[in-house]
Amino acid sequence: MKDKKIAKLMVVDVEIDICNFIKSFFEERDFEVVYAHNSLDALPMVEREKPDVLIMDIKLPGMSGLDALPYIKSINPDTKVIIVTNINDEEKINEARSKGAEGYITKPLLLEELLETVKKICFKSDLITQGSGNKLFSKIKRK
Amino acid sequence: MEELENFVDSNWLNFQNLFIERLMVKEGKVKPNTINNSAPSLPNVKFIKATENPANNYHETLLNASRSMIRFRSPEHLVKMISKLIDREVKVLHTGILVYQEDKNAYVLIDSKGESGKKIPIGFIRLTIDNALINLFEEGKNYLLSNSGAVIYDDLVLGLGNINFISNNLNFRTTLEKVKGEMDLLKASLAIPCYFKRKLLGVLILGKKVSGERFTRDEINLFVTLANDVAMAITNSQLIKNLQKRVKEVEESYKREHRLFIHTALALATAIDARDAYTQGHSERVTSFSMSILDEINYLPEVVKDRKFRENLHITALLHDVGKIGIPDNILNKRGSLTQDERQVVNKHPLIGTTILYPIKELAPTIIKAIRNHQEWFNGQGYPDRLKGKDIPILSRIIGVADAFDAMTSDRPYRSKLKLDLAMGELKKYSGVQFDPEVVSAFFRAYKKDSILLQKV
């Protein structure tokens, strides 16, 4: 079963509807998807599931997404992180970038952009690890 | 927005006027029963509900929905009501309503229904104006696909699978492939534009029917009607929001100007008082006493019928001595009593004040006249016009008492401060002579209530 999946995706968002929607959206596109609703649950899950891509909101109960980011990167450096948030703020974007996020998408988002970003990160992962991650980051359109 | 307003027909204009009126009296909400003609006309949708209660048809529900629409000031209510209606009456996997938002320059999902996972979360997605589906609707090319303007996914797939279909127009084929791609992303079986006078304000998205059946023509007609209601509600609320904004702007600018004016008057009054070393704060105290008197005689017809009486009294009291600017320092600040000639110079200050203020067109003529006559006596022995009794403006009669009281209780260059009871005695003594007896008794009432504030006594 798992062999058929093209990549493993993890969602961290407090809203169950968002988790469920992203889950079914990507499952229909042959991704395996798991989710958590807060950072405390998310950290051991990252260790256990080792997702290829993590879609995470900033506003989370307890530890914020940006605060959790360094821990995620230290637990599993191969997990690529895309911040998906309704905060459209240059400071937050820079913070996300400096803490190692691969992408930053603001809500309301474009579904094709979300899909393309996830695909790019999954399939050109070697490119990103060779230091063009920032480039991709800057390519990601905001609003 | 201007374009939108140009579209407004007479019914909407009536509605608009009514609404401004309501806003002005700060009532806010529009009662539906006050509007008779504004309910939008509905196409004759004949629709028989397939479920348990055929008597309760969509048409009626729809009519009720549209009528109560007028009640709603924000389109979100109606949009929620419509998606609830669809969810209840036609079983679909999910529905969503996207509405154009100017600040984002995109169509944002503002409501959705369906099981968690099936529905697209509210506020989660947007469609940009270059989106293939949005483009199709904006250019009206959806009417090439169906008379209703609805885009049906199954028909799109069928059409694209048919080699003869639009094979002579590759561009349109490419467009439709892109539209299909967008509908795939949204899992939409049906996409319906919300137009108001040909402007695309929103898009209604429906997933597959739970039963797996095709949508019927009647169902599609119902959705088209609902979509138009959504557009109408959005237009409605945008108009109202614009009106509210404009009313607010007018109110704000009025308040701003008024504040500027009052502050200017205050600055001027302070400037007058500053020149006269012995009467610092005089204008402000006279203002304060005058307001206290007013509170005791606010039953007078002159006060009751004049909405701006209080404000006018405020300004008159602040500016009543403005004419002293034209009095030489050596006379104004002279110690000891004034000579006959000097007295005559000082007595010119009401006329000088009138001359100074006359060019200010915004100042009510009653204020200027009241300043001119604030030194008149009730018995006609005052100046400059020797007016008598009720011929003296009421504003002047009030200020006359307040002014005299402050003069008696403040140190003046030509007279040391009288004791308070002595000042009260003087007021009583000259009641009916120098002062209006009604105003004097009002002053006494205020004095007893301690509402006469004596900062410098």
Side-chain angles (χ1 to χ4, degrees), chain B residues 93-136:
Chain B
L93 290 177
H94 74 102
T95 64
I97 298 178
L98 295 126
V99 168
Y100 181 72
Q101 288 184 357
E102 221 169 317
D103 57 331
K104 298 200 169 61
N105 192 25
Y107 294 78
V108 177
L109 188 84
I110 66 158
D111 200 41
S112 63
K113 283 271 178 309
E115 268 175 48
S116 191
K118 299 249 173 22
K119 70 170 169 193
I120 308 170
I122 295 168
F124 188 66
I125 62 152
R126 70 180 199 273
L127 301 183
T128 45
I129 48 170
D130 57 1
N131 180 292
L133 185 63
I134 299 295
N135 261 334
L136 184 85

mmCIF file of all heavy atoms in Angstrom, chain B residues 93-136:
data_model
loop_
_atom_site.group_PDB
_atom_site.id
_atom_site.type_symbol
_atom_site.label_atom_id
_atom_site.label_comp_id
_atom_site.label_asym_id
_atom_site.label_seq_id
_atom_site.Cartn_x
_atom_site.Cartn_y
_atom_site.Cartn_z
ATOM 1 N N LEU B 93 -22.330 16.434 -2.149
ATOM 2 C CA LEU B 93 -21.189 16.126 -1.283
ATOM 3 C C LEU B 93 -20.647 17.388 -0.614
ATOM 4 O O LEU B 93 -20.260 17.373 0.524
ATOM 5 C CB LEU B 93 -20.089 15.414 -2.084
ATOM 6 C CG LEU B 93 -20.448 13.991 -2.520
ATOM 7 C CD1 LEU B 93 -19.336 13.396 -3.378
ATOM 8 C CD2 LEU B 93 -20.696 13.087 -1.306
ATOM 9 N N HIS B 94 -20.621 18.453 -1.389
ATOM 10 C CA HIS B 94 -20.197 19.721 -0.784
ATOM 11 C C HIS B 94 -20.662 20.893 -1.626
ATOM 12 O O HIS B 94 -20.943 20.734 -2.817
ATOM 13 C CB HIS B 94 -18.670 19.772 -0.598
ATOM 14 C CG HIS B 94 -17.907 19.969 -1.874
ATOM 15 N ND1 HIS B 94 -17.386 21.180 -2.245
ATOM 16 C CD2 HIS B 94 -17.595 19.098 -2.868
ATOM 17 C CE1 HIS B 94 -16.769 21.047 -3.407
ATOM 18 N NE2 HIS B 94 -16.884 19.799 -3.801
ATOM 19 N N THR B 95 -20.787 22.051 -0.991
ATOM 20 C CA THR B 95 -21.074 23.285 -1.731
ATOM 21 C C THR B 95 -20.140 24.366 -1.212
ATOM 22 O O THR B 95 -19.647 24.279 -0.087
ATOM 23 C CB THR B 95 -22.512 23.806 -1.502
ATOM 24 O OG1 THR B 95 -22.638 24.168 -0.125
ATOM 25 C CG2 THR B 95 -23.555 22.812 -1.867
ATOM 26 N N GLY B 96 -19.927 25.365 -2.035
ATOM 27 C CA GLY B 96 -19.088 26.483 -1.606
ATOM 28 C C GLY B 96 -19.494 27.732 -2.355
ATOM 29 O O GLY B 96 -19.988 27.650 -3.490
ATOM 30 N N ILE B 97 -19.358 28.877 -1.694
ATOM 31 C CA ILE B 97 -19.660 30.141 -2.363
ATOM 32 C C ILE B 97 -18.437 31.030 -2.299
ATOM 33 O O ILE B 97 -17.912 31.326 -1.222
ATOM 34 C CB ILE B 97 -20.888 30.820 -1.735
ATOM 35 C CG1 ILE B 97 -22.122 29.916 -1.896
ATOM 36 C CG2 ILE B 97 -21.140 32.178 -2.390
ATOM 37 C CD1 ILE B 97 -23.396 30.446 -1.279
ATOM 38 N N LEU B 98 -17.961 31.416 -3.481
ATOM 39 C CA LEU B 98 -16.815 32.318 -3.566
ATOM 40 C C LEU B 98 -17.333 33.705 -3.897
ATOM 41 O O LEU B 98 -18.196 33.856 -4.762
ATOM 42 C CB LEU B 98 -15.853 31.856 -4.658
ATOM 43 C CG LEU B 98 -15.177 30.507 -4.404
ATOM 44 C CD1 LEU B 98 -15.395 29.571 -5.565
ATOM 45 C CD2 LEU B 98 -13.700 30.697 -4.118
ATOM 46 N N VAL B 99 -16.816 34.696 -3.209
ATOM 47 C CA VAL B 99 -17.269 36.068 -3.426
ATOM 48 C C VAL B 99 -16.071 36.959 -3.699
ATOM 49 O O VAL B 99 -15.026 36.823 -3.050
ATOM 50 C CB VAL B 99 -18.068 36.566 -2.202
ATOM 51 C CG1 VAL B 99 -18.291 38.065 -2.264
ATOM 52 C CG2 VAL B 99 -19.409 35.839 -2.119
ATOM 53 N N TYR B 100 -16.237 37.866 -4.675
ATOM 54 C CA TYR B 100 -15.132 38.764 -5.022
ATOM 55 C C TYR B 100 -14.825 39.715 -3.869
ATOM 56 O O TYR B 100 -15.722 40.325 -3.311
ATOM 57 C CB TYR B 100 -15.472 39.579 -6.267
ATOM 58 C CG TYR B 100 -14.343 40.502 -6.672
ATOM 59 C CD1 TYR B 100 -13.175 39.984 -7.226
ATOM 60 C CD2 TYR B 100 -14.425 41.877 -6.454
ATOM 61 C CE1 TYR B 100 -12.125 40.809 -7.567
ATOM 62 C CE2 TYR B 100 -13.377 42.706 -6.797
ATOM 63 C CZ TYR B 100 -12.228 42.165 -7.356
ATOM 64 O OH TYR B 100 -11.179 42.994 -7.680
ATOM 65 N N GLN B 101 -13.562 39.786 -3.516
ATOM 66 C CA GLN B 101 -13.150 40.729 -2.460
ATOM 67 C C GLN B 101 -12.128 41.693 -3.030
ATOM 68 O O GLN B 101 -11.081 41.292 -3.513
ATOM 69 C CB GLN B 101 -12.584 39.969 -1.256
ATOM 70 C CG GLN B 101 -13.682 39.246 -0.487
ATOM 71 C CD GLN B 101 -13.191 38.558 0.765
ATOM 72 O OE1 GLN B 101 -12.005 38.559 1.078
ATOM 73 N NE2 GLN B 101 -14.122 37.959 1.484
ATOM 74 N N GLU B 102 -12.490 42.962 -2.972
ATOM 75 C CA GLU B 102 -11.689 43.986 -3.623
ATOM 76 C C GLU B 102 -10.264 44.055 -3.075
ATOM 77 O O GLU B 102 -9.318 44.168 -3.836
ATOM 78 C CB GLU B 102 -12.389 45.337 -3.439
ATOM 79 C CG GLU B 102 -12.356 46.188 -4.683
ATOM 80 C CD GLU B 102 -13.266 47.393 -4.553
ATOM 81 O OE1 GLU B 102 -14.390 47.225 -4.049
ATOM 82 O OE2 GLU B 102 -12.832 48.473 -4.943
ATOM 83 N N ASP B 103 -10.133 43.970 -1.735
ATOM 84 C CA ASP B 103 -8.793 44.129 -1.153
ATOM 85 C C ASP B 103 -7.860 43.001 -1.571
ATOM 86 O O ASP B 103 -6.652 43.192 -1.639
ATOM 87 C CB ASP B 103 -8.884 44.222 0.380
ATOM 88 C CG ASP B 103 -9.585 43.011 0.990
ATOM 89 O OD1 ASP B 103 -10.445 42.427 0.306
ATOM 90 O OD2 ASP B 103 -9.258 42.661 2.128
ATOM 91 N N LYS B 104 -8.404 41.833 -1.872
ATOM 92 C CA LYS B 104 -7.554 40.712 -2.284
ATOM 93 C C LYS B 104 -7.526 40.576 -3.805
ATOM 94 O O LYS B 104 -6.746 39.791 -4.337
ATOM 95 C CB LYS B 104 -8.062 39.411 -1.656
ATOM 96 C CG LYS B 104 -8.009 39.448 -0.135
ATOM 97 C CD LYS B 104 -8.034 38.062 0.462
ATOM 98 C CE LYS B 104 -7.711 38.059 1.940
ATOM 99 N NZ LYS B 104 -8.637 38.837 2.775
ATOM 100 N N ASN B 105 -8.368 41.325 -4.480
ATOM 101 C CA ASN B 105 -8.532 41.220 -5.921
ATOM 102 C C ASN B 105 -8.697 39.756 -6.344
ATOM 103 O O ASN B 105 -8.056 39.291 -7.281
ATOM 104 C CB ASN B 105 -7.354 41.873 -6.649
ATOM 105 C CG ASN B 105 -7.646 42.044 -8.129
ATOM 106 O OD1 ASN B 105 -8.806 42.116 -8.543
ATOM 107 N ND2 ASN B 105 -6.594 42.097 -8.935
ATOM 108 N N ALA B 106 -9.519 39.042 -5.600
ATOM 109 C CA ALA B 106 -9.712 37.618 -5.867
ATOM 110 C C ALA B 106 -11.079 37.194 -5.338
ATOM 111 O O ALA B 106 -11.710 37.912 -4.564
ATOM 112 C CB ALA B 106 -8.618 36.806 -5.189
ATOM 113 N N TYR B 107 -11.494 36.005 -5.793
ATOM 114 C CA TYR B 107 -12.746 35.431 -5.307
ATOM 115 C C TYR B 107 -12.408 34.507 -4.140
ATOM 116 O O TYR B 107 -11.644 33.555 -4.304
ATOM 117 C CB TYR B 107 -13.449 34.679 -6.436
ATOM 118 C CG TYR B 107 -13.907 35.627 -7.532
ATOM 119 C CD1 TYR B 107 -12.994 36.127 -8.472
ATOM 120 C CD2 TYR B 107 -15.220 36.054 -7.601
ATOM 121 C CE1 TYR B 107 -13.393 37.023 -9.455
ATOM 122 C CE2 TYR B 107 -15.634 36.939 -8.576
ATOM 123 C CZ TYR B 107 -14.717 37.427 -9.504
ATOM 124 O OH TYR B 107 -15.122 38.311 -10.469
ATOM 125 N N VAL B 108 -12.943 34.827 -2.960
ATOM 126 C CA VAL B 108 -12.587 34.092 -1.751
ATOM 127 C C VAL B 108 -13.764 33.238 -1.308
ATOM 128 O O VAL B 108 -14.917 33.680 -1.352
ATOM 129 C CB VAL B 108 -12.177 35.080 -0.629
ATOM 130 C CG1 VAL B 108 -11.875 34.337 0.664
ATOM 131 C CG2 VAL B 108 -10.970 35.910 -1.064
ATOM 132 N N LEU B 109 -13.469 32.029 -0.861
ATOM 133 C CA LEU B 109 -14.513 31.126 -0.391
ATOM 134 C C LEU B 109 -15.032 31.640 0.948
ATOM 135 O O LEU B 109 -14.325 31.600 1.950
ATOM 136 C CB LEU B 109 -13.944 29.712 -0.218
ATOM 137 C CG LEU B 109 -14.991 28.652 0.083
ATOM 138 C CD1 LEU B 109 -15.625 28.152 -1.205
ATOM 139 C CD2 LEU B 109 -14.386 27.494 0.853
ATOM 140 N N ILE B 110 -16.271 32.144 0.960
ATOM 141 C CA ILE B 110 -16.769 32.721 2.211
ATOM 142 C C ILE B 110 -17.741 31.795 2.930
ATOM 143 O O ILE B 110 -18.081 32.038 4.077
ATOM 144 C CB ILE B 110 -17.401 34.103 2.007
ATOM 145 C CG1 ILE B 110 -18.666 34.021 1.157
ATOM 146 C CG2 ILE B 110 -16.412 35.088 1.414
ATOM 147 C CD1 ILE B 110 -19.571 35.207 1.389
ATOM 148 N N ASP B 111 -18.200 30.750 2.242
ATOM 149 C CA ASP B 111 -19.024 29.786 2.965
ATOM 150 C C ASP B 111 -18.958 28.434 2.271
ATOM 151 O O ASP B 111 -18.769 28.354 1.069
ATOM 152 C CB ASP B 111 -20.480 30.255 3.048
ATOM 153 C CG ASP B 111 -21.218 29.537 4.170
ATOM 154 O OD1 ASP B 111 -20.619 29.353 5.245
ATOM 155 O OD2 ASP B 111 -22.377 29.122 3.978
ATOM 156 N N SER B 112 -19.087 27.382 3.050
ATOM 157 C CA SER B 112 -19.093 26.041 2.461
ATOM 158 C C SER B 112 -19.865 25.097 3.364
ATOM 159 O O SER B 112 -20.038 25.351 4.551
ATOM 160 C CB SER B 112 -17.659 25.551 2.255
ATOM 161 O OG SER B 112 -16.988 25.430 3.486
ATOM 162 N N LYS B 113 -20.352 24.054 2.748
ATOM 163 C CA LYS B 113 -21.100 23.028 3.491
ATOM 164 C C LYS B 113 -20.654 21.656 3.010
ATOM 165 O O LYS B 113 -20.178 21.511 1.894
ATOM 166 C CB LYS B 113 -22.610 23.178 3.216
ATOM 167 C CG LYS B 113 -23.277 24.316 3.962
ATOM 168 C CD LYS B 113 -23.768 23.847 5.311
ATOM 169 C CE LYS B 113 -24.409 24.948 6.125
ATOM 170 N NZ LYS B 113 -23.644 26.165 6.259
ATOM 171 N N GLY B 114 -20.836 20.658 3.855
ATOM 172 C CA GLY B 114 -20.468 19.301 3.491
ATOM 173 C C GLY B 114 -19.715 18.643 4.631
ATOM 174 O O GLY B 114 -19.356 19.302 5.602
ATOM 175 N N GLU B 115 -19.509 17.346 4.504
ATOM 176 C CA GLU B 115 -18.763 16.621 5.539
ATOM 177 C C GLU B 115 -17.342 17.163 5.629
ATOM 178 O O GLU B 115 -16.774 17.594 4.621
ATOM 179 C CB GLU B 115 -18.684 15.140 5.151
ATOM 180 C CG GLU B 115 -19.785 14.272 5.708
ATOM 181 C CD GLU B 115 -19.655 12.857 5.158
ATOM 182 O OE1 GLU B 115 -18.543 12.307 5.185
ATOM 183 O OE2 GLU B 115 -20.679 12.344 4.661
ATOM 184 N N SER B 116 -16.781 17.072 6.840
ATOM 185 C CA SER B 116 -15.388 17.468 7.011
ATOM 186 C C SER B 116 -14.523 16.617 6.081
ATOM 187 O O SER B 116 -14.690 15.399 6.021
ATOM 188 C CB SER B 116 -14.973 17.268 8.465
ATOM 189 O OG SER B 116 -13.732 17.870 8.681
ATOM 190 N N GLY B 117 -13.640 17.278 5.346
ATOM 191 C CA GLY B 117 -12.825 16.555 4.373
ATOM 192 C C GLY B 117 -13.371 16.707 2.968
ATOM 193 O O GLY B 117 -12.627 16.886 2.019
ATOM 194 N N LYS B 118 -14.719 16.698 2.871
ATOM 195 C CA LYS B 118 -15.344 16.878 1.551
ATOM 196 C C LYS B 118 -15.472 18.353 1.222
ATOM 197 O O LYS B 118 -15.245 18.782 0.104
ATOM 198 C CB LYS B 118 -16.734 16.225 1.524
ATOM 199 C CG LYS B 118 -16.688 14.714 1.780
ATOM 200 C CD LYS B 118 -17.046 13.973 0.544
ATOM 201 C CE LYS B 118 -16.872 12.457 0.595
ATOM 202 N NZ LYS B 118 -16.867 11.791 1.891
ATOM 203 N N LYS B 119 -15.864 19.123 2.246
ATOM 204 C CA LYS B 119 -16.037 20.561 1.978
ATOM 205 C C LYS B 119 -14.681 21.261 2.036
ATOM 206 O O LYS B 119 -13.759 20.820 2.736
ATOM 207 C CB LYS B 119 -16.982 21.180 3.006
ATOM 208 C CG LYS B 119 -16.414 21.284 4.404
ATOM 209 C CD LYS B 119 -17.316 22.134 5.278
ATOM 210 C CE LYS B 119 -16.890 21.995 6.731
ATOM 211 N NZ LYS B 119 -17.873 22.516 7.655
ATOM 212 N N ILE B 120 -14.601 22.364 1.301
ATOM 213 C CA ILE B 120 -13.386 23.180 1.338
ATOM 214 C C ILE B 120 -13.555 24.141 2.512
ATOM 215 O O ILE B 120 -14.581 24.802 2.620
ATOM 216 C CB ILE B 120 -13.206 23.964 0.013
ATOM 217 C CG1 ILE B 120 -13.303 23.001 -1.173
ATOM 218 C CG2 ILE B 120 -11.882 24.705 0.013
ATOM 219 C CD1 ILE B 120 -13.385 23.689 -2.524
ATOM 220 N N PRO B 121 -12.582 24.191 3.427
ATOM 221 C CA PRO B 121 -12.772 25.056 4.601
ATOM 222 C C PRO B 121 -12.964 26.528 4.227
ATOM 223 O O PRO B 121 -12.335 27.022 3.287
ATOM 224 C CB PRO B 121 -11.472 24.865 5.396
ATOM 225 C CG PRO B 121 -10.902 23.581 4.900
ATOM 226 C CD PRO B 121 -11.308 23.458 3.479
ATOM 227 N N ILE B 122 -13.841 27.182 4.975
ATOM 228 C CA ILE B 122 -14.149 28.600 4.734
ATOM 229 C C ILE B 122 -12.874 29.432 4.873
ATOM 230 O O ILE B 122 -12.108 29.259 5.810
ATOM 231 C CB ILE B 122 -15.219 29.088 5.724
ATOM 232 C CG1 ILE B 122 -16.539 28.364 5.476
ATOM 233 C CG2 ILE B 122 -15.421 30.600 5.625
ATOM 234 C CD1 ILE B 122 -17.569 28.548 6.566
ATOM 235 N N GLY B 123 -12.676 30.317 3.900
ATOM 236 C CA GLY B 123 -11.518 31.222 3.966
ATOM 237 C C GLY B 123 -10.205 30.566 3.577
ATOM 238 O O GLY B 123 -9.159 31.192 3.619
ATOM 239 N N PHE B 124 -10.256 29.278 3.175
ATOM 240 C CA PHE B 124 -9.018 28.563 2.904
ATOM 241 C C PHE B 124 -8.487 28.837 1.500
ATOM 242 O O PHE B 124 -7.284 28.909 1.288
ATOM 243 C CB PHE B 124 -9.238 27.062 3.100
ATOM 244 C CG PHE B 124 -7.992 26.234 3.035
ATOM 245 C CD1 PHE B 124 -7.005 26.373 4.004
ATOM 246 C CD2 PHE B 124 -7.780 25.318 2.006
ATOM 247 C CE1 PHE B 124 -5.841 25.612 3.951
ATOM 248 C CE2 PHE B 124 -6.619 24.559 1.952
ATOM 249 C CZ PHE B 124 -5.656 24.702 2.927
ATOM 250 N N ILE B 125 -9.411 28.976 0.548
ATOM 251 C CA ILE B 125 -8.932 29.155 -0.832
ATOM 252 C C ILE B 125 -9.444 30.446 -1.463
ATOM 253 O O ILE B 125 -10.402 31.049 -1.003
ATOM 254 C CB ILE B 125 -9.361 27.973 -1.750
ATOM 255 C CG1 ILE B 125 -10.892 27.895 -1.838
ATOM 256 C CG2 ILE B 125 -8.759 26.672 -1.272
ATOM 257 C CD1 ILE B 125 -11.384 27.297 -3.130
ATOM 258 N N ARG B 126 -8.743 30.817 -2.532
ATOM 259 C CA ARG B 126 -9.209 31.923 -3.358
ATOM 260 C C ARG B 126 -9.001 31.557 -4.828
ATOM 261 O O ARG B 126 -8.186 30.675 -5.140
ATOM 262 C CB ARG B 126 -8.443 33.206 -3.021
ATOM 263 C CG ARG B 126 -6.987 33.216 -3.444
ATOM 264 C CD ARG B 126 -6.315 34.547 -3.066
ATOM 265 N NE ARG B 126 -5.093 34.769 -3.812
ATOM 266 C CZ ARG B 126 -3.884 34.324 -3.445
ATOM 267 N NH1 ARG B 126 -3.750 33.602 -2.351
ATOM 268 N NH2 ARG B 126 -2.839 34.575 -4.185
ATOM 269 N N LEU B 127 -9.761 32.204 -5.703
ATOM 270 C CA LEU B 127 -9.529 32.072 -7.135
ATOM 271 C C LEU B 127 -9.148 33.446 -7.643
ATOM 272 O O LEU B 127 -9.838 34.420 -7.376
ATOM 273 C CB LEU B 127 -10.789 31.588 -7.863
ATOM 274 C CG LEU B 127 -11.410 30.245 -7.446
ATOM 275 C CD1 LEU B 127 -12.595 29.913 -8.345
ATOM 276 C CD2 LEU B 127 -10.390 29.106 -7.505
ATOM 277 N N THR B 128 -8.023 33.519 -8.335
ATOM 278 C CA THR B 128 -7.593 34.827 -8.841
ATOM 279 C C THR B 128 -8.363 35.173 -10.104
ATOM 280 O O THR B 128 -9.014 34.312 -10.698
ATOM 281 C CB THR B 128 -6.083 34.832 -9.146
ATOM 282 O OG1 THR B 128 -5.772 33.629 -9.835
ATOM 283 C CG2 THR B 128 -5.285 34.910 -7.870
ATOM 284 N N ILE B 129 -8.266 36.433 -10.500
ATOM 285 C CA ILE B 129 -9.061 36.862 -11.657
ATOM 286 C C ILE B 129 -8.538 36.271 -12.963
ATOM 287 O O ILE B 129 -9.221 36.315 -13.965
ATOM 288 C CB ILE B 129 -9.142 38.409 -11.748
ATOM 289 C CG1 ILE B 129 -7.765 39.038 -11.587
ATOM 290 C CG2 ILE B 129 -10.080 38.960 -10.690
ATOM 291 C CD1 ILE B 129 -7.741 40.501 -11.904
ATOM 292 N N ASP B 130 -7.302 35.708 -12.937
ATOM 293 C CA ASP B 130 -6.814 35.058 -14.158
ATOM 294 C C ASP B 130 -7.131 33.556 -14.165
ATOM 295 O O ASP B 130 -6.736 32.847 -15.079
ATOM 296 C CB ASP B 130 -5.309 35.317 -14.353
ATOM 297 C CG ASP B 130 -4.492 34.841 -13.159
ATOM 298 O OD1 ASP B 130 -5.099 34.309 -12.203
ATOM 299 O OD2 ASP B 130 -3.258 35.017 -13.175
ATOM 300 N N ASN B 131 -7.871 33.100 -13.186
ATOM 301 C CA ASN B 131 -8.306 31.711 -13.140
ATOM 302 C C ASN B 131 -9.199 31.409 -14.349
ATOM 303 O O ASN B 131 -10.041 32.224 -14.720
ATOM 304 C CB ASN B 131 -9.074 31.481 -11.825
ATOM 305 C CG ASN B 131 -9.574 30.062 -11.671
ATOM 306 O OD1 ASN B 131 -10.464 29.641 -12.409
ATOM 307 N ND2 ASN B 131 -9.016 29.346 -10.732
ATOM 308 N N ALA B 132 -8.984 30.226 -14.967
ATOM 309 C CA ALA B 132 -9.690 29.892 -16.210
ATOM 310 C C ALA B 132 -11.212 29.927 -16.040
ATOM 311 O O ALA B 132 -11.941 30.414 -16.909
ATOM 312 C CB ALA B 132 -9.245 28.518 -16.700
ATOM 313 N N LEU B 133 -11.693 29.429 -14.896
ATOM 314 C CA LEU B 133 -13.138 29.397 -14.649
ATOM 315 C C LEU B 133 -13.687 30.822 -14.507
ATOM 316 O O LEU B 133 -14.727 31.169 -15.076
ATOM 317 C CB LEU B 133 -13.419 28.584 -13.379
ATOM 318 C CG LEU B 133 -14.882 28.340 -13.008
ATOM 319 C CD1 LEU B 133 -15.593 27.527 -14.080
ATOM 320 C CD2 LEU B 133 -14.973 27.632 -11.660
ATOM 321 N N ILE B 134 -12.964 31.639 -13.742
ATOM 322 C CA ILE B 134 -13.375 33.029 -13.556
ATOM 323 C C ILE B 134 -13.383 33.759 -14.896
ATOM 324 O O ILE B 134 -14.331 34.480 -15.231
ATOM 325 C CB ILE B 134 -12.415 33.746 -12.564
ATOM 326 C CG1 ILE B 134 -12.446 33.076 -11.185
ATOM 327 C CG2 ILE B 134 -12.727 35.235 -12.459
ATOM 328 C CD1 ILE B 134 -13.754 33.169 -10.444
ATOM 329 N N ASN B 135 -12.338 33.532 -15.689
ATOM 330 C CA ASN B 135 -12.249 34.155 -17.014
ATOM 331 C C ASN B 135 -13.414 33.785 -17.907
ATOM 332 O O ASN B 135 -13.995 34.625 -18.577
ATOM 333 C CB ASN B 135 -10.952 33.707 -17.700
ATOM 334 C CG ASN B 135 -9.882 34.755 -17.553
ATOM 335 O OD1 ASN B 135 -10.201 35.937 -17.407
ATOM 336 N ND2 ASN B 135 -8.641 34.342 -17.557
ATOM 337 N N LEU B 136 -13.737 32.497 -17.882
ATOM 338 C CA LEU B 136 -14.841 31.999 -18.697
ATOM 339 C C LEU B 136 -16.131 32.733 -18.335
ATOM 340 O O LEU B 136 -16.859 33.224 -19.200
ATOM 341 C CB LEU B 136 -15.017 30.494 -18.460
ATOM 342 C CG LEU B 136 -16.066 29.784 -19.304
ATOM 343 C CD1 LEU B 136 -15.451 29.370 -20.643
ATOM 344 C CD2 LEU B 136 -16.616 28.560 -18.592
#
